[in-house]
Amino acid sequence: MSSETLMEKPMSGKFRCRTQSWYIVLVSFLLWLTLYMCYLYSSSVTFRKRGHSFVANNHTGFLDSSQSFHVVVRDDETQDPSHVEDIDIVDNVVDDDETETDEDKTTEFSDVEEVNQVIDSMLSEDQNGTDTDSAKDNEDVTSNEEVKNMDEDDKPVVQSSAQDKRKEGRSTKQRKGTTANVSERQRDKKSEEDQERRKEDRVVKQKETANVLERQRGENVEDQAAKRKGAANFLERQRGENVEDQTAKRQENADVSERQREDNPEDQPVAKMLPAVKSRTERPQRPRRRERNKPADSLNPVMEKRIEKVVAEPRRQNPVQAGSDSCSGRYIYIHNLPRKFNQDLLENCRSLSFWTDMCGCASNLGLGARLSNDEKLYSNSGWFATNQFLLEVIFHNRMKQYKCLTKDPLVASAIYVPYYAGLDVGRYLWDPDGFMRDYDALNLVKWLASRPEWKRMWGRDHFLVAGRINWDFRRDPKNESDWGNELLNFDESRNMTTLVLESSPWNYNDFAIPYPTYFHPSRDDAVFQWQNKMRRLKRRFLFSFAGARRPGRHESIRNELIEQCLASRRRCRFLECDKTQKCHKPANVMRLFQNSIFCLQPPGDSYTRRSIFDSIIAGCIPVFFHPGSAYVQYIWHFPRDYNKYSVMIPESDVKTGKANIERILTRVSRDRRVAMKDEIIKMIPKVIYADPSSRLGEIEDAFDLTVKGILDRVETVRNQMNEGRIVNYDFEEEESWKYFAIGKLGPHEWDAYFSRKIGKHGP
């Protein structure tokens, strides 16, 4: 029998067995469908537990279909972040874990219970079925209704589960949006912290880079210093070889000349060499008082034995003018120095002073601008606004006009070094770094010591002009920030003769020459006319003083002098040198001195003053209060008898009030005044420097007297060397002022003034 026949319902009567089979098939289908739905749901829950998300992006909904599920899985496997740009994977995992809470478990358990209830009801109906058709029909109807109810119940369950999933999706989106905001703030905070950390790292790296660069620079500087040192050593070795070659040549020349002298028995002197002056790095400590006046090389007893037998290399006579040479013994050779020691300083004249226009002062060969004679105070020509610190330039230009110059150093009696020492150090006097102040001076002495001219007398025939007071060149070697440089402390300089505006009474290698004045005549007649004018002048004041107070110096007597001058009313005239700079105008100074019989000349910042020479030019008798102001200074220009041209009042009497200036000067007799005035007027040519562009006739000015003094001193030193004597060994160096100014040693009335070194600023 076919299955279709069996499934047909008879027209009459009822088949129980056939009805039960249909029922079983239907129940089985429903069970299968329910189990399949449970499987799908459990698979989706398991997938969420693994940390995957069904959200494609912020604008897509929850994915229900298996096709969408597989698409998401494929995107995750390919690691394509296009669907999850704005979602943090960690946050999604946490949200999925949180969504799988009691709601998911409750939904799952409710579906399983419903399926179990249906199965139990079906089994119970099979066991308790009736035999009547009506009951069966009722059961069929009931079963059909139950099936319908089950279908209808299953639909709400599926719908409710979908709604729950949508709600869960929306809540998940909300939680994810909140989490995204929190995570965004956290990311902003982290980015700020990262930026700060990067800045700190950048600063640290920059510091490390700067340290590395600094170390590299230091290494480069050290390498450069080593290279320069090596180059200097190489040059020094070359110079040494050149000096040896020159020495050998001179020795050959000396042998030739000695053979020639053997033919002429009248020529007796023999030339030998003295030991070289040691370099700066090899200099010994300063000698003690007993040995300070000895040459640096004579401190060694072995050297002393050699010096006893040594004579200076003789001068070679000029073969052209031999026999009738008017310049014999007066020849001077000018060293050709590098430009940085003289001409370059003038070309950079704006750097010479912070307060004065030195470019204008250096005009007219160092004399300055010409002065007009509107007030009839000067001559019609020969007057200039001369700066006192341009003495080096004036002297150099005058030396170029010297009539006994020679280009052969072997013929010269003295060698002039045209180094502008005062202009050089003046640039750095207020600089605390002593290295710059010593730089050019040290290079100069090294350059001189390397020259063959130096070896003749080891620099004792060399001289230079330093246009400042000696204290500007005698800095304390132990205090580099002290005033001035160490030019006069160098061993080479101690062999030379230095001409300064003010010398040290306790040293033998520097000599004072007059300050430059405003008067620089070009003819002898101009000097004579000026002297006659000063003799005829009628003077209104007994005495006068031009200067400033010294309130910070208790030992100065200027305050007492000013008070006495103001108290004398009409007998004294005071020109105050305050901030108005009245004393810097030549007319004010010359008018004051030309109207005064006596001019007070107390010490200022040092013993001497330029005002001394301005008063002499005006025919005013100077009044001194310390012998260091003139008497032990200008030994080549002033008479040794100071009473012939000046008045001396002890400064201690003025300080204690014992001395009344007006009373003392009034007691000077008229005859003595006239004699002193005549002597002062005679001294005018001796304290002026003639115009370098011309040459005086019979008159000897300050330049001529200075050159004569230098030649005499060099000749004396040469004789001492030829006799085997140590130069300047006849007296203690601290008693130099006695030996040169007075001519004899022993106790003296001025010992109280020079018993101790008062200092570079004077008393």
Side-chain angles (χ1 to χ4, degrees), residues 347-361:
E347 292 179 0
N348 299 319
C349 55
R350 297 191 181 277
S351 65
L352 298 179
S353 176
F354 293 103
W355 304 278
T356 306
D357 181 14
M358 299 300 288
C359 295
C361 296

Side-chain angles (χ1 to χ4, degrees), residues 547-590:
R549 298 177 184 268
R550 293 291 187 271
R553 300 188 59 193
H554 66 278
E555 71 276 5
S556 176
I557 62 172
R558 288 197 172 197
N559 294 337
E560 288 77 9
L561 295 180
I562 293 173
E563 295 300 330
Q564 290 196 34
C565 181
L566 296 176
S568 298
R569 298 182 181 179
R570 296 183 179 180
R571 307 206 68 179
C572 181
R573 185 67 178 269
F574 171 53
L575 178 62
E576 186 173 5
C577 300
D578 53 6
K579 295 181 180 179
T580 60
Q581 296 185 349
K582 295 179 181 179
C583 295
H584 291 271
K585 296 180 179 179
N588 294 334
V589 176
M590 296 305 296

Side-chain angles (χ1 to χ4, degrees), residues 451-728:
R451 302 290 298 175
E453 296 85 359
W454 183 269
K455 308 301 189 297
R456 291 179 55 199
M457 294 180 63
W458 302 103
R460 292 180 176 88
D461 56 348
H462 288 49
F463 71 98
L464 62 87
V465 178
R468 304 185 74 96
I469 61 175
N470 76 96
W471 303 115
D472 292 340
F473 309 101
R474 276 202 168 91
R475 188 183 72 240
D476 184 3
K478 298 180 181 178
N479 186 6
E480 198 169 275
S481 62
D482 196 13
W483 183 265
N485 64 12
E486 289 193 71
L487 174 62
L488 297 183
N489 292 334
F490 298 151
D491 291 338
E492 295 85 350
S493 299
R494 289 172 61 80
N495 280 0
M496 295 190 294
T497 300
T498 305
L499 306 176
V500 291
L501 296 176
E502 176 186 315
S503 64
S504 169
W506 305 282
N507 297 96
Y508 57 72
N509 62 320
D510 55 292
F511 293 82
I513 60 177
Y515 284 75
T517 64
Y518 303 116
F519 188 31
H520 305 282
S522 57
R523 305 185 318 273
D524 292 355
D525 293 343
V527 179
F528 299 147
Q529 292 174 4
W530 180 256
Q531 287 176 314
N532 293 331
K533 182 178 180 178
M534 293 302 102
R535 290 189 181 97
R536 294 191 302 265
L537 280 179
K538 294 182 180 181
R539 304 177 186 267
R540 298 168 50 191
F541 305 106
L542 177 63
F543 63 102
S544 64
F545 175 58
R549 298 177 184 268
R550 293 291 187 271
R553 300 188 59 193
H554 66 278
E555 71 276 5
S556 176
I557 62 172
R558 288 197 172 197
N559 294 337
E560 288 77 9
L561 295 180
I562 293 173
E563 295 300 330
Q564 290 196 34
C565 181
L566 296 176
S568 298
R569 298 182 181 179
R570 296 183 179 180
R571 307 206 68 179
C572 181
R573 185 67 178 269
F574 171 53
L575 178 62
E576 186 173 5
C577 300
D578 53 6
K579 295 181 180 179
T580 60
Q581 296 185 349
K582 295 179 181 179
C583 295
H584 291 271
K585 296 180 179 179
N588 294 334
V589 176
M590 296 305 296
R591 184 185 301 108
L592 177 68
F593 292 160
Q594 288 179 17
N595 284 281
S596 304
I597 299 174
F598 296 98
C599 295
L600 305 184
Q601 303 297 344
D605 294 332
S606 62
Y607 291 138
T608 62
R609 306 175 67 204
R610 171 182 175 160
S611 177
I612 297 172
F613 301 93
D614 290 334
S615 66
I616 293 175
I617 295 298
C620 184
I621 303 171
V623 180
F624 297 114
F625 303 88
H626 193 287
S629 296
Y631 304 151
V632 300
Q633 295 288 342
Y634 310 101
I635 59 176
W636 298 333
H637 305 81
F638 287 2
R640 179 167 292 186
D641 185 3
Y642 59 88
N643 291 317
K644 295 174 61 176
Y645 66 91
S646 66
V647 176
M648 172 69 181
I649 301 176
E651 61 180 357
S652 59
D653 293 345
V654 177
K655 194 68 177 177
T656 57
K658 295 180 181 180
N660 186 291
I661 306 299
E662 182 181 358
R663 187 180 300 115
I664 294 174
L665 297 179
T666 303
R667 292 176 181 176
V668 177
S669 64
R670 183 178 180 85
D671 294 339
R672 187 185 174 194
R673 289 183 190 176
V674 173
M676 286 192 292
K677 181 179 177 181
D678 290 340
E679 189 66 29
I680 284 294
I681 294 175
K682 291 179 181 178
M683 292 171 57
I684 291 177
K686 299 179 180 179
V687 297
I688 62 174
Y689 295 92
D691 191 340
S693 62
S694 61
R695 184 180 298 172
L696 297 179
E698 298 178 358
I699 293 178
E700 290 183 335
D701 65 348
F703 171 81
D704 296 324
L705 296 177
T706 301
V707 171
K708 185 181 293 186
I710 285 290
L711 294 173
D712 291 342
R713 170 171 166 76
V714 173
E715 189 64 25
T716 300
V717 172
R718 183 180 287 107
N719 292 334
Q720 290 178 347
M721 296 175 65
N722 290 335
E723 294 173 2
R725 297 162 55 191
I726 299 176
V727 178
N728 295 327

